[in-house]
Amino acid sequence: MYKEIDSNKRNSVILMMVFIAIIIGLGYVLELAFGDGSYAIVYIAVIFSLASVLVSYFQGDKIALSATGAKAIKKEDNKYLYNMVENLCITTGSPVPHIYIIEDMAINAFATGRKPELASIAVTRGAIEKLNNEELEGVLAHELSHIKNYDIRFMMLVAVMVGAVVMMSDFFLRSRLWGGGRDRKNNAGGVILIVGIVLAILSPLIAELIKLAISRRREYLADASGALITRYPEGLAAALEKINRDNQPMQRASKATAHFFISSPFRGGKKISNLFATHPPIADRVKKLRGMGR
């Protein structure tokens, strides 16, 4: 389990470094083509993308809970669920999050909140009724791990970087379209222009792919961290297999909130490349979990 946790943390850092390298490279080319040496383009892009993300960062949990139709519960409303979450929080030494139930018979759950003190966890009715005690405990431990690992905050940083890349690329392409930038009639200037155009076109796609890759690494990390909390990887592995067999789309599924859930809330009938998936393949997750139990 510790090996898996270390591996996924390391891979997340590597992906972040690649992300930063892309931003620096794109900013450097933009500066060569348009700048005055101050790198103002890069700073402006980061500031604007940060401003747009801050709104979702501070209000994103409320939006996600409202979008999925989650209803807050008290201990007396569902003692079984509440006690299980409370016991896991005692194990981890973390605050008990606000607990919500989504009246949907699909098996799913998600956690949100920028820090443990302001966290919420939502579980579908299907997960409560269809999963046994160990399976539901594994799912809840996975979601509590997202909170403990500050994944919401981590993904906010990634979103800022994606926004910066998109804005810089858009600026470059629009400026070239309207004939902006420095006059470069020599061969070096032509090469810079070609490189800049290629980077401006490909960078947003690469940035989105890296964001999805980081999201998948955080899912693996939450699986390993959750298994460490329960000391029983088989519980989450069996729950994921049930989720895969059930394969029931949620009634209020949304692309904006899909990445929050433990598994995609959409029907998985179509085979989409893993590059463009918000979640790792369930078969791979189960294999890794059962490997931890050996």
Side-chain angles (χ1 to χ4, degrees):
M1 295 182 211
Y2 286 112
K3 183 179 177 182
E4 284 294 328
I5 290 170
D6 289 342
S7 171
N8 284 293
K9 283 183 176 178
R10 184 171 58 251
N11 288 334
S12 291
V13 171
I14 291 170
L15 285 167
M16 287 291 285
M17 290 171 67
V18 173
F19 222 143
I20 292 167
I22 288 173
I23 291 177
I24 292 172
L26 186 58
Y28 180 71
V29 172
L30 279 170
E31 191 62 33
L32 286 177
F34 301 100
D36 57 4
S38 64
Y39 290 91
I41 296 168
V42 181
Y43 297 139
I44 291 170
V46 171
I47 289 169
F48 272 95
S49 56
L50 177 60
S52 65
V53 170
L54 280 176
V55 175
S56 61
Y57 178 58
F58 285 106
Q59 298 297 321
D61 54 345
K62 297 180 181 66
I63 294 169
L65 291 164
S66 176
T68 56
K71 303 295 181 186
I73 65 165
K74 297 179 181 178
K75 189 170 187 175
E76 55 268 25
D77 297 326
N78 194 312
K79 289 185 179 179
Y80 170 65
L81 176 63
Y82 198 98
N83 287 338
M84 191 176 289
V85 174
E86 196 172 44
N87 289 339
L88 288 168
C89 288
I90 291 170
T91 302
T92 60
S94 55
V96 178
H98 300 290
I99 302 172
Y100 291 75
I101 290 179
I102 303 170
E103 294 298 338
D104 193 306
M105 289 312 295
I107 304 174
N108 226 319
F110 75 89
T112 184
R114 60 188 182 275
K115 57 183 179 179
E117 294 79 10
L118 299 173
S120 301
I121 186 168
V123 186
T124 62
R125 181 67 64 182
I128 298 169
E129 295 186 5
K130 295 178 183 179
L131 299 178
N132 66 31
N133 187 77
E134 290 78 14
E135 292 165 350
L136 182 57
E137 188 177 60
V139 168
L140 293 173
H142 170 100
E143 296 306 329
L144 289 171
S145 294
H146 276 309
I147 297 169
K148 189 177 180 183
N149 294 334
Y150 289 88
D151 285 336
I152 302 299
R153 186 177 295 180
F154 190 88
M155 292 309 295
M156 184 209 71
L157 177 60
V158 173
V160 170
M161 292 184 176
V162 172
V165 169
V166 171
M167 289 190 70
M168 286 192 291
S169 299
D170 187 59
F171 178 86
F172 183 90
L173 292 173
R174 286 177 184 274
S175 297
R176 294 317 305 175
L177 182 66
W178 294 102
R182 297 174 182 169
D183 252 345
R184 295 191 180 270
K185 298 178 181 178
N186 53 40
N187 290 335
V191 171
I192 289 171
L193 177 59
I194 293 170
V195 170
I197 291 172
V198 171
L199 274 175
I201 293 171
L202 294 181
S203 290
L205 174 61
I206 295 170
E208 186 64 26
L209 290 176
I210 293 174
K211 184 185 84 171
L212 293 172
I214 290 174
S215 177
R216 291 190 293 272
R217 296 318 306 183
R218 302 311 282 187
E219 286 299 316
Y220 282 129
L221 175 59
D223 284 347
S225 300
L228 186 62
I229 292 170
T230 62
R231 304 286 175 172
Y232 187 61
E234 180 59 31
L236 179 55
L240 288 171
E241 286 185 326
K242 270 191 183 177
I243 291 171
N244 199 35
R245 286 197 304 270
D246 185 75
N247 196 25
Q248 183 177 335
M250 293 185 64
Q251 295 172 7
R252 296 178 68 168
S254 165
K255 288 183 178 179
T257 58
H259 64 285
F260 282 113
F261 288 90
I262 190 170
S263 179
S264 174
F266 303 107
R267 185 176 294 280
K270 295 180 180 179
K271 287 190 176 180
I272 303 174
S273 169
N274 187 41
L275 283 174
F276 298 95
T278 56
H279 295 72
I282 285 181
D284 288 353
R285 295 170 70 181
V286 170
K287 184 178 178 181
K288 284 178 177 290
L289 284 164
R290 291 201 165 126
M292 294 176 208
R294 294 195 184 99

